[in-house]
Amino acid sequence: MSGRYLALGIALVALATLPYWMTGIYYINVASQILFYAIFALGLNVLLGYAGLVSLGHAGLFGVTAYAVAYILQLGFGHSLAILGALVISMASMAVYAVLSLRATGIGFIMITLALGEILWGLAYRWISLTGGDNGLNVQTRPELFGYSLSDVNTFYYATLIIFLLSLGAVTVFVRSPLGAALMGTRDQPRRMNALGYHVWAIRFHACLFSGLLTSVSAIMFVYYTQFISPQTLALTSSAEVLLMVISGGAGTLLGPIVGAGLVVIVKTVVSGFIERWNFLLGAIFVAIVILMPEGLVPGTVRLWRLAWRKRARDAKAVPGSAEAKP
Amino acid sequence: MTFWLVLTANSITFGGLLFLLSAGFSLIFGLMRIPNLTHGSLFMLGAYVGATFVIGMLGVKMNFWLAAVLATLTVAFLGALAERLLLRRLPGDLLAQVLVTLGLAFMAADFCLMVWGGDPLSVATPPELAGFARLGILVFPNYRLAIIVIAGVVAIGLWLLLERTRLGAMIRAGVDDPDMARVVGIRVSQLFTIVFALGAGLAGFAGIIGGPILSVYPGLDQDMLPLALVVVILGGTGSLLGSFVGSIIVGFIYNFGQALLPELAYFVLFLPMLLVLLLRPQGLFGRHVP
Amino acid sequence: MSRKVTRRKFLAGTAAGAAAATFNFPAPAIAQAAPFKLGLLTVKTGPLAQGGIQMEQGIVTFLKEKNYTFAGRKVEFISADTGGNPAGTKTKAQELIERDKVDTIVGPLAAFELLAITDYIAQQKTPCLSLAAAEDMTQRRPNPYFLRASATSSQAMHPMADFSAKELKLKRIITISEDFAFGYEQMGGFQQTFEENGGKILKKLWPPIVTPDYTPYLAQIEGVDGVCQGFAGSNPLRFMKQYQAAGLKYPVVTGETGGDDALLRSYGDEALGLHSACPYTLDLNTDSNKRFVAAINKDYGVDPGFYCAGLYVNGMVVEAGLQKTGGKSDDKAELMKAMKSVSLTDTPRGPIKFDRFGNVIGDIFIRHLEKANGKLINKTVKTYKDVSQFWTYDEKKFLEQPVYSRDFPPVKS
């Protein structure tokens, strides 16, 4: 137990001091990207891991928020209004998305979310007066927080880190709360939950809203980071990517999505600089994960670690010469 | 007038191609409950392999139909391998299945880019089907009409397989109740390999048959996969009739929708898909509510 | 990256420096020992890889021809794969500029990729030479650090329309192109010039970028004497096949991507008779083009097309710019000014120079797709000399009208 807290503590210290030991602006930026994609993955995981609902259209919601920020800024309003407006718009969109998708579960849910994601993508292309079509929208400046400008690399990193930690905290609280427990109940035994008097639909709906909140927070960081939004961000491949982040890291765990986000971002941005066929490599990594740790990197590593410890303990306990001794 | 006739004829032929594309997906999903997200890649692999044979290797050009058969067998074999080595370890684990099929899709796409490069490949229409047919005032390419025939033959063949053979009976039993099927002594795991290979082979076959119309290019997998999903949703999973009718319907929606409602061209398939899902989640002919 | 400075080198350097100061020579290579870093933003994975791979071939061929030395300075070349999406392009641009500290960027490939980084490259004052055709980059929202040696979307379509009206004597055309900015801008340019020359555009069709079967659109083509298409990537191949399969026989005219020489190896007989307008043509008889084509044939076994030639020419511009600054690249504004003032006579695409927005003024070639010795070729049938992005229009008037879009110019019928 204490080992885990020690590891988390070290990680926290490392993250907090990252700009000082990470060489180069570029890698600090990569760290920022990992963090806000991790928020996106955590948001999807609320549905995927804890509610058992696979959403293939989450990139659509991500995109809606990003477009909202960019569009409001283009209208001439300031950053606070843009962020607030985007949050409101994205929560409203998520509510509609949830109402439509929750009409089914299982594969039906997956397909409805796929259709919704594709429709949002199509809208991004066609509604040119709003979205600029495939030319996209530019975001000229980044906001200032308490006098610090997010245009500075380190400031942006710290802002992202703080928001990430808050999001992670929120997810932890959620998962450990009665609502979280109820949600997991609806994932595992929906009929029994119903029989016990829980309003399954309402629980799932609220989980969707929470997921939407995290997704929009991540999207706001994304659009300020990239300072550009275009329809590619809402494509099916983007939804698939965040899905892969969650699954490869470990759905239904707190750290899984973070590790998954790290994996995908690092292969896409850093490894792609060294290996030309990085797409193939990424696919191969996913296949390897399925073979070695189908439950995901985090639960799988924990499992293998425990196995190794248990083996060591067993070997240490065995008396030499007796029947229990391992060869 | 010819406008309507051309669109109608094309709806049916495009529907035929869609049937070839989606039948495999529907089969795999109906029996094994695996959403085979590698399906688009299998289509593309069949197209690339078939195109390579048709264009000719070592200066030897191959007959189109022979190339199609070889491509189908190659992709079926790859499908069987994937099932035995990877999917078999993940019964019922939807997330792991999604991860592995998408991982394979990434690998397949990049592999095709490595081997065949970025340029598109043109597949020549088989010479015996080149040219046009005259049906009244309608002039329509022979090859496209042939696709209707091919789709029909495949549909009948699959129907016979499922309804009239022992293998088919076992497949149907497995679709209805895998556990009971096992109890009754059906080797379900072997069955799964055969069905997956069959589904993959169908996808590969569709790829090379579609080659003269669609050509082969990087990104073909991503373009075709959503179409397969739309057909399977509309028609209903696990139902052959559903796949067939769904394909024709999607063919009509695609052709008439794009021609008459160009403003909605991007959503012309997904809006109906959404409507069907909201009103009847199991699709038109599906038996199980997903 | 430390260099051992031996006494001999140091003395030689000092002597050379003294000599330069005395005689006002341009700074010798020894004093500029740091390599010139050239970054390439291209796409090597996914559907856009077709053009991306060709882009890299072009620039690498030029670098090899110059032995990786520009103006006496060693060139360090770094290639980055953006993945074909804007977020990836931004990230890779950051990698090249912030981590690798490149002096100049060539690429990216697509317009939406360029638009994602345009503010960034201006802010970082990094010169960028791209083929991306987005018109406003050199028109209504010009970027002072951007140079385009290829063409805007409509630059080749204006002469194509002129040729269609005057030489092909076409009068009624339906346009069909992908439903995105590159398509709108191409067709808009074509329409404006075609209609001024007495032609009429009956309808403009916009299939989405992902359209496996164009038949629903082809079925609407009638009552015309010609078709103008503007497809890009691998779509022209599919379009021409389905065009033929639809029984349509009207002459087809197209732009730089629809008739690209690099597609000749994929095209079949369905493309015979296609007229295309392109800033590059394979059979151009200049020394540099002959060298360039031979090198591409030798190294890659294929004929180069528009993307490949475009990057080769970009390399030539960078090198010429460096010649003008004497190999110096510390002052980016100076380097940019030098490159913008470059005027070359012998390039694979003929003579080029830049207008005040950083867009090229060069020749546009009209080609006719034919068969020669059993192989498909694009035979150049007319050359429009010194075509600018504004064609024959008054620059001010042109900039006052909105950018070519889906609805501009509007269809009049």
Side-chain angles (χ1 to χ4, degrees):
Chain A
M1 261 310 132
S2 61
R4 191 206 285 192
Y5 286 124
L6 183 65
L8 286 175
I10 294 176
L12 201 61
V13 169
L15 283 175
T17 57
L18 192 127
Y20 299 101
W21 54 265
M22 186 66 91
T23 50
I25 302 176
Y26 173 68
Y27 289 107
I28 302 176
N29 275 327
V30 172
S32 298
Q33 287 182 71
I34 296 178
L35 289 176
F36 65 67
Y37 277 117
I39 301 175
F40 190 16
L42 282 169
L44 181 65
N45 190 33
V46 168
L47 289 182
L48 187 63
Y50 298 107
L53 299 167
V54 180
S55 167
L56 264 185
H58 250 62
L61 295 162
F62 187 87
V64 165
T65 315
Y67 270 112
V69 172
Y71 187 68
I72 296 175
L73 285 175
Q74 291 235 338
L75 288 176
F77 296 105
H79 291 292
S80 342
L81 207 62
I83 294 174
L84 225 61
L87 284 169
V88 167
I89 292 173
S90 80
M91 294 308 281
S93 315
M94 189 41 160
V96 172
Y97 184 94
V99 164
L100 291 175
S101 318
L102 286 174
R103 287 187 61 97
T105 52
I107 288 290
F109 183 88
I110 300 178
M111 290 300 160
I112 295 180
T113 55
L114 167 72
L116 287 172
E118 292 282 74
I119 290 174
L120 285 170
W121 173 76
L123 274 172
Y125 263 109
R126 286 294 295 113
W127 204 342
I128 299 178
S129 54
L130 193 69
T131 65
D134 70 304
N135 278 339
L137 296 176
N138 283 88
V139 170
Q140 306 284 16
T141 56
R142 289 183 185 170
E144 261 189 36
L145 264 180
F146 308 117
Y148 293 101
S149 167
L150 289 183
S151 305
D152 173 62
V153 172
N154 290 349
T155 315
F156 189 86
Y157 169 77
Y158 279 119
T160 314
L161 178 63
I162 293 170
I163 295 175
F164 164 75
L165 290 171
L166 287 171
S167 309
L168 181 58
V171 174
T172 313
V173 166
F174 176 84
V175 166
R176 304 230 166 111
S177 73
L179 178 57
L183 186 65
M184 287 188 263
T186 63
R187 172 193 66 192
D188 300 325
Q189 295 283 3
R191 275 185 291 197
R192 196 174 289 181
M193 290 297 287
N194 223 339
L196 284 172
Y198 286 92
H199 196 329
V200 173
W201 187 94
I203 294 171
R204 288 186 171 142
F205 181 73
H206 285 101
C208 282
L209 290 180
F210 183 53
S211 171
L213 179 63
L214 289 166
T215 305
S216 48
V217 165
S218 165
I220 292 171
M221 299 312 296
F222 167 83
V223 81
Y224 278 125
Y225 175 77
T226 331
Q227 294 185 259
F228 183 77
I229 175 69
S230 78
Q232 274 80 17
T233 309
L234 290 83
L236 186 56
T237 41
S238 305
S239 285
E241 204 173 84
V242 66
L243 192 68
L244 290 169
M245 285 180 194
V246 177
I247 302 178
S248 64
T253 67
L254 283 172
L255 295 178
I258 303 171
V259 170
L263 169 68
V264 173
V265 171
I266 289 178
V267 173
K268 267 184 83 172
T269 55
V270 181
V271 175
S272 62
F274 302 106
I275 298 182
E276 197 173 291
R277 302 261 67 99
W278 57 272
N279 222 1
F280 186 89
L281 176 69
L282 190 58
I285 291 177
F286 289 142
V287 174
I289 290 176
V290 166
I291 296 177
L292 300 170
M293 312 177 181
E295 65 273 44
L297 277 172
V298 170
T301 314
V302 168
R303 172 174 60 91
L304 290 175
W305 181 263
R306 287 216 181 105
L307 266 176
W309 265 112
R310 247 179 242 136
K311 187 170 184 300
R312 271 191 67 180
R314 248 201 317 266
D315 289 347
K317 264 203 256 160
V319 175
S322 81
E324 290 168 340
K326 294 238 148 217
Chain B
M1 189 59 209
T2 43
F3 173 74
W4 300 102
L5 283 176
V6 166
L7 282 186
T8 308
N10 202 54
S11 301
I12 303 175
T13 59
F14 193 60
L17 186 61
L18 288 176
F19 171 71
L20 292 173
L21 166 68
S22 56
F25 186 91
S26 186
L27 204 61
I28 292 173
F29 187 68
L31 176 67
M32 302 159 74
R33 299 270 185 281
I34 297 177
N36 181 23
L37 297 175
T38 323
H39 204 74
S41 316
L42 295 168
F43 180 92
M44 185 167 74
L45 272 168
Y48 268 118
V49 171
T52 311
F53 286 140
V54 170
I55 292 172
M57 299 194 299
L58 306 167
V60 178
K61 280 199 212 240
M62 194 183 285
N63 172 272
F64 179 82
W65 306 107
L66 183 59
V69 167
L70 284 176
T72 308
L73 290 174
T74 311
V75 178
F77 175 69
L78 290 171
L81 264 182
E83 199 281 331
R84 288 227 70 171
L85 297 176
L86 297 169
L87 287 159
R88 174 165 299 206
R89 305 150 149 265
L90 319 164
D93 190 349
L94 176 69
L95 296 182
Q97 288 164 355
V98 167
L99 185 63
V100 82
T101 48
L102 280 179
L104 287 173
F106 282 24
M107 289 170 75
D110 223 32
F111 174 77
C112 290
L113 200 56
M114 273 191 272
V115 173
W116 284 284
D119 297 311
L121 293 180
S122 184
V123 183
T125 311
E128 54 270 25
L129 287 174
F132 296 85
R134 271 175 180 46
L135 313 161
I137 53 169
L138 176 67
V139 178
F140 207 68
N142 284 328
Y143 187 73
R144 293 208 180 209
L145 292 173
I147 291 190
I148 305 180
V149 175
I150 295 171
V153 165
V154 169
I156 294 175
L158 281 175
W159 182 82
L160 286 172
L161 177 75
L162 287 175
E163 297 291 321
R164 294 272 183 273
T165 65
R166 227 174 125 245
L167 177 65
M170 291 197 286
I171 292 176
R172 277 182 293 125
V175 172
D176 285 337
D177 198 335
D179 294 319
M180 269 315 280
R182 276 201 191 88
V183 166
V184 173
I186 294 176
R187 303 260 295 278
V188 178
S189 58
Q190 208 181 53
L191 199 62
F192 278 12
T193 310
I194 294 176
V195 168
F196 199 88
L198 180 61
L202 278 169
F205 181 69
I208 180 58
I209 292 295
I213 296 180
L214 303 174
S215 73
V216 196
Y217 55 92
L220 180 63
D221 54 343
Q222 289 173 13
D223 292 353
M224 300 309 284
L225 181 64
L227 291 176
L229 294 175
V230 172
V231 170
V232 165
I233 289 304
L234 281 179
T237 53
S239 161
L240 188 63
L241 182 62
S243 280
F244 197 76
V245 176
S247 311
I248 304 293
I249 293 178
V250 173
F252 271 92
I253 298 176
Y254 180 89
N255 277 278
F256 283 93
Q258 299 240 22
L260 301 175
L261 302 168
E263 297 295 309
L264 299 182
Y266 274 101
F267 328 105
V268 76
L269 289 178
F270 292 105
L271 273 175
M273 176 180 171
L274 187 64
L275 280 166
V276 170
L277 282 167
L278 293 176
L279 299 172
R280 202 187 145 89
Q282 69 265 41
L284 293 170
F285 292 94
R287 258 114 25 101
H288 315 272
V289 178
Chain C
M1 239 190 291
S2 57
R3 281 160 280 115
K4 282 239 229 50
V5 183
T6 62
R7 187 184 299 170
R8 196 177 294 164
K9 268 202 194 141
F10 179 80
L11 286 176
T14 323
T22 321
F23 296 107
N24 244 333
F25 287 170
I30 300 169
Q32 289 287 336
F36 178 80
K37 293 193 179 172
L38 183 67
L40 169 68
L41 284 171
T42 186
V43 186
K44 298 227 276 268
T45 47
L48 293 178
Q50 181 190 359
I53 293 172
Q54 291 169 15
M55 276 170 58
E56 192 170 41
Q57 290 172 345
I59 186 68
V60 166
T61 302
F62 182 69
L63 287 168
K64 274 180 30 189
E65 188 184 297
K66 291 283 159 186
N67 206 5
Y68 283 80
T69 311
F70 286 176
R73 238 176 116 179
K74 269 270 160 247
V75 177
E76 194 179 307
F77 174 67
I78 305 159
S79 172
D81 179 3
T82 66
N85 68 74
T89 312
K90 179 81 186 282
T91 309
K92 288 297 170 178
Q94 284 177 316
E95 183 180 300
L96 290 175
I97 293 177
E98 290 167 12
R99 190 186 73 178
D100 301 322
K101 311 258 189 295
V102 297
D103 297 297
T104 296
I105 288 182
V106 285
L109 169 63
F112 52 83
E113 295 185 297
L114 179 63
L115 289 170
I117 62 171
T118 174
D119 292 334
Y120 179 67
I121 55 180
Q123 192 189 73
Q124 296 284 336
K125 299 201 191 350
T126 305
C128 175
L129 294 91
S130 173
L131 304 179
E135 303 235 326
D136 274 349
M137 283 296 296
T138 53
Q139 288 175 10
R140 296 163 192 86
R141 291 190 341 210
N143 184 335
Y145 280 89
F146 178 68
L147 220 55
R148 176 163 43 215
S150 49
T152 59
S153 322
S154 61
Q155 193 162 354
M157 294 310 278
H158 293 134
M160 187 74 251
D162 183 86
F163 186 85
S164 307
K166 294 194 182 137
E167 316 242 354
L168 296 177
K169 308 267 196 279
L170 299 175
K171 294 243 175 309
R172 304 157 62 82
I173 283 186
I174 286 182
T175 71
I176 176 167
S177 190
E178 287 130 333
D179 191 357
F180 74 147
F182 183 59
Y184 308 149
E185 290 172 1
Q186 284 187 87
M187 298 298 116
F190 184 86
Q191 181 181 358
Q192 180 153 351
T193 307
F194 189 66
E195 286 182 337
E196 272 167 13
N197 283 287
K200 199 156 156 209
I201 301 290
L202 297 182
K203 220 195 263 194
K204 300 209 283 198
L205 299 171
W206 308 110
I209 300 175
V210 176
T211 301
D213 188 5
Y214 293 112
T215 308
Y217 299 92
L218 296 168
Q220 301 176 52
I221 297 179
E222 54 175 6
V224 294
D225 55 15
V227 169
C228 177
Q229 58 110 326
F231 290 106
S234 49
N235 290 344
L237 186 71
R238 203 160 71 244
F239 175 77
M240 292 308 292
K241 281 200 89 170
Q242 293 175 359
Y243 185 84
Q244 186 194 49
L248 294 168
K249 295 202 183 4
Y250 312 112
V252 181
V253 298
T254 184
E256 59 203 22
T257 49
D260 192 7
D261 294 299
L263 276 177
L264 289 173
R265 50 182 176 263
S266 310
Y267 266 140
D269 288 351
E270 70 276 356
L272 286 172
L274 179 68
H275 277 100
S276 60
C278 191
Y280 172 73
T281 188
L282 191 61
D283 61 2
L284 185 64
N285 202 356
T286 65
D287 286 335
S288 55
N289 193 32
K290 293 212 276 251
R291 259 194 338 259
F292 165 62
V293 175
I296 297 284
N297 286 154
K298 177 161 161 277
D299 289 338
Y300 305 108
V302 294
D303 279 334
F306 159 75
Y307 290 100
C308 194
L311 266 279
Y312 184 95
V313 172
N314 279 347
M316 294 180 94
V317 172
V318 174
E319 203 245 346
L322 267 179
Q323 292 275 9
K324 286 198 175 201
T325 64
K328 288 209 283 260
S329 61
D330 303 330
D331 187 347
K332 296 293 193 296
E334 278 300 309
L335 179 60
M336 199 58 216
K337 216 169 107 190
M339 289 199 284
K340 222 167 173 175
S341 68
V342 161
S343 169
L344 299 170
T345 43
D346 181 17
T347 75
R349 63 159 296 184
I352 59 164
K353 59 179 187 281
F354 295 98
D355 66 18
R356 68 185 183 96
F357 294 100
N359 193 60
V360 71
I361 300 173
D363 297 345
I364 300 289
F365 308 98
I366 308 288
R367 304 96 57 76
H368 184 236
L369 217 159
E370 327 179 326
K371 215 169 211 180
N373 303 324
K375 202 174 131 182
L376 290 179
I377 58 156
N378 270 326
K379 178 142 168 280
T380 307
V381 293
K382 189 172 165 120
T383 303
Y384 284 85
K385 301 228 44 106
D386 296 325
V387 176
S388 88
Q389 58 179 325
F390 303 114
W391 184 231
T392 54
Y393 304 126
D394 173 62
E395 180 190 299
K396 194 157 163 287
K397 282 240 197 77
F398 187 91
L399 291 175
E400 275 165 15
Q401 73 186 30
V403 72
Y404 291 129
S405 68
R406 204 179 148 117
D407 306 308
F408 182 81
V411 175
K412 290 178 185 73
S413 50

